[in-house]
Amino acid sequence: MALPVTQERSTPGPAPEAPAPGRGARALTRIRAGLPRTGLAVLAGLLLGAAFPPYDLWPLSVVGVAGLSLLTRGRTARQGAWTGFAFGLPFFLLLLKWLTVIGTDAMIGLSVVEALFVAALGAGLAVTSRLPGWPLWAACLWVTQEWARDRLPLGGFPWGRLAFANTATPFTPLAALGGAPLVTFAVALCGALLAWAALRVRGPGRAPRAAALAALGAIAAMLAGYAVPVPTKGDDSVKVAVIQGNVPNPGMDFLGRPMQVLNNHAEATERLAADIAAGRTERPDVVIWPENSSDLDPFTDPAAYRRIDEAVKAVGVPTLVGTLVDGPDAQHVQNEGIVWDPRTGPGASYTKQHPVPFGEYVPFRAELSKVITRLQRVARDFYPGTSTGVMQLGPAKIGDVICFEVAYDEIVRDTVNQGARVLVVQTNNATYALSGQPDQQLAMSRLRAVEHGRAVLIAATSGISGVIAPDGSIVSRTKELTAAELTATVPLRDGTTVADRVGAAPEWTLAVAGLLACAAAVFAGRLRRRPGTPGKGEALNPVVP
């Protein structure tokens, strides 16, 4: 007999759960989700770079600030730091492309270092974006970032300050009140207010009236400079001639054979003397030669001394000569501007206070030179000076600053406060000819003219040389890689601006305000996470437009 077959019926259980994605998969998902924001940050950084010379699209400085404000709004500190870095790196790569003359690795390395400061800025913007009045704190944080970058590391590198993209804009007159930091603050405030207005227009808490008020605030920040008087009237004047002798070859080997650059400047001065003798040109009161116009130390090389002396005697007026002079020991050299009188020869001198790391001296030379053999081309380190460049040149008390020193607030300000009636920028941009770097340095000089109410005379070996009025306007300028002589009559001023009198106080005040805002935001965040806090898990100041 067949046994009955029993069919067992099973009740279906719950379907097995899918395995949770691993850490790598989650990280990949986060990266993909953040790509659009990162791409927008890169674009915003490039737009900011285009605001600077040689492009000079200054309104993009406001757009760049607004873009970074929007991209970091409501993010975590870590997310804000990444967004800031993604913004800062392409910005500096575009701004500092002239460093490719030295090496692409130098350009990338410096850009990465500078972008790290913008990463810190991005983190600060993110954490303060929950605070009431966050556009104000955002503007302060831009000043904080520049304050740090202007000083660290190795004495800092001030290139890329918002103020230096706004040296002939409605923001510029603010420099006469609070220097470059106040200009940066106004530009950043304008951009942050525009970002706030955009959020009010399109965000979930739309408020057209508030957006309109924010836009009006941005316009007010932009136009405030027009209410600032810029002193330009001189107590007397001086007739000047600026000599641009040119160099044999732009780039790292601009000097050519020994004495070639010196001969170029001596011959240009002698041509000027011939024009004076023929009545084609009025005799100036003083003549300005650029940095490194003599490639040999006239105090140790008799031929260099004789050639300078011949040219100065031919023109017959005191001449400021830029030259390299042996330092206190065999390992050092000094970058100097020397007052050379046609009758008594060399007199007062100024030694550059702020040599450029890796260009004029090699930090950690023993270790780095083994790894980067190119650093061995800097055979001797430049020895820094300890005093300002205030010197009597004929009838004019000048304030000499050399090359990159024009980017440092305190060096120029100290020169004016110690009695300089006109500013002189001796520079040698031959290494970076036609790269945009001379245009950037010209823009800085224009801002300094407004900041201190002084005419600025730029003497460059290969360009751009120029004469800038106290209101920042360019009276005359040369082309690059061209031998030329500029003549002009410029005012000599004794009065000081508000920026001269208040010094670094506006910068420190704004920078510290930015840091305090960050501290307040961090404290508020910890308070939200404390057990028992009302509304735990929700923002005390939720991110609303």
Side-chain angles (χ1 to χ4, degrees), residues 70-355:
L70 289 170
L71 292 169
T72 54
R73 173 81 168 140
R75 312 300 287 175
T76 66
R78 182 179 299 179
Q79 290 168 334
W82 170 251
T83 302
F85 185 79
F87 174 94
L89 183 59
F91 163 59
F92 282 109
L93 288 173
L94 181 59
L95 182 77
L96 305 178
K97 64 182 179 63
W98 43 268
L99 273 172
T100 54
V101 176
I102 297 176
T104 302
D105 55 346
M107 178 192 68
I108 295 174
L110 182 57
S111 296
V112 168
V113 170
E114 297 302 302
L116 291 174
F117 288 92
V118 186
L121 168 65
L125 293 175
V127 299
T128 57
S129 66
R130 297 182 185 275
L131 294 177
W134 63 265
L136 175 64
W137 313 126
C140 290
L141 283 170
W142 274 93
V143 178
T144 307
Q145 174 261 146
E146 291 185 359
W147 174 89
R149 200 161 53 77
D150 295 353
R151 292 163 174 82
L152 302 169
L154 301 173
F157 187 70
W159 243 256
R161 299 167 75 177
L162 293 179
F164 293 156
N166 288 271
T167 60
T169 77
F171 295 105
T172 308
L174 292 171
L177 284 182
L182 186 59
V183 177
T184 286
F185 174 80
V187 174
L189 181 61
C190 182
L193 284 172
L194 287 179
W196 193 84
L199 290 169
R200 282 290 185 178
V201 169
R202 300 184 61 86
R206 286 183 293 175
R209 182 176 297 179
L213 288 174
L216 287 174
I219 294 172
M222 181 183 298
L223 300 181
Y226 287 123
V228 179
V230 177
T232 59
K233 185 178 180 181
D235 300 288
D236 47 32
S237 60
V238 62
K239 295 188 289 292
V240 301
V242 176
I243 303 298
Q244 179 175 299
N246 205 11
V247 298
N249 302 295
M252 292 291 288
D253 300 308
F254 67 88
L255 287 174
R257 66 179 184 273
M259 282 194 68
Q260 189 168 0
V261 173
L262 172 55
N263 279 325
N264 286 354
H265 288 82
E267 290 168 4
T269 305
E270 289 163 348
R271 285 195 299 271
L272 175 64
D275 288 342
I276 294 169
R280 293 186 292 268
T281 300
E282 189 177 357
R283 184 182 299 275
D285 297 315
V286 298
V287 171
I288 309 293
W289 284 16
E291 175 193 27
N292 300 156
S293 47
S294 174
D295 48 322
L296 299 171
D297 182 355
F299 300 115
T300 59
D301 190 301
Y305 186 106
R306 184 167 55 252
R307 192 69 187 97
I308 296 171
D309 205 48
E310 288 171 353
V312 174
K313 286 179 177 177
V315 76
V317 297
T319 301
L320 182 66
V321 177
T323 184
L324 298 180
V325 174
D326 290 341
D329 53 54
Q331 283 74 45
H332 289 89
V333 65
Q334 295 177 173
N335 192 351
E336 291 193 350
I338 303 173
V339 174
W340 205 290
D341 188 270
R343 293 181 299 276
T344 59
S349 64
Y350 166 66
T351 301
K352 186 176 183 180
Q353 302 174 61
H354 200 298

Side-chain angles (χ1 to χ4, degrees), residues 338-379:
I338 303 173
V339 174
W340 205 290
D341 188 270
R343 293 181 299 276
T344 59
S349 64
Y350 166 66
T351 301
K352 186 176 183 180
Q353 302 174 61
H354 200 298
V356 178
F358 302 104
E360 295 177 329
Y361 76 96
V362 180
F364 316 111
R365 175 182 287 272
E367 295 79 14
L368 291 179
S369 294
K370 297 175 183 177
V371 181
I372 309 173
T373 56
R374 189 168 62 244
L375 294 177
Q376 296 172 9
R377 297 190 64 172
V378 185

